[in-house]
């Protein structure tokens, strides 16, 4: 329930994801889970796609416009 609250999603949704009953996870849910777990969203994307998770060396952003690159 703490993870669901932190991610801003319903507790049942977390349970379904944990049990492998969710086939597709929408972008908003992924963003919330990444934030709640303290991991980059790219990690979750890689896990979902069964790809190798590469180490993130830092957050890249444009210093002029402050947007993620």
């Amino acid at each position: 329930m703490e993870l669901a609250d932190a991610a801003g999603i319903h507790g049942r949704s977390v349970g379904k994801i944990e049990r492998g009953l969710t086939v597709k996870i929408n972008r908003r849910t992924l963003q919330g889970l990444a934030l709640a777990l303290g991991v980059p969203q790219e990690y979750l994307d890689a896990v979902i796609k069964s790809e190798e998770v590469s180490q993130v060396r830092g957050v890249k952003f444009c210093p002029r416009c402050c947007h993620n690159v």
Side-chain angles (χ1 to χ4, degrees):
M1 292 309 264
E2 290 178 37
L3 177 60
D5 288 340
I9 61 176
H10 196 279
R12 288 184 186 169
S13 297
V14 173
K16 288 172 103 176
I17 293 168
E18 290 176 334
R19 292 188 307 275
L21 301 175
T22 300
V23 177
K24 191 172 182 183
I25 301 173
N26 69 37
R27 194 66 29 205
R28 181 179 159 270
T29 300
L30 278 176
Q31 289 171 346
L33 288 171
L35 181 64
L37 293 169
V39 299
Q41 186 175 336
E42 292 79 16
Y43 278 12
L44 297 180
D45 291 334
V47 170
I48 289 169
K49 296 175 185 174
S50 297
E51 296 175 349
E52 184 176 329
V53 178
S54 61
Q55 183 177 10
V56 176
R57 296 192 177 163
V59 177
K60 297 179 185 178
F61 68 95
C62 174
R64 267 185 289 167
C65 61
C66 296
H67 285 104
N68 289 340
V69 178

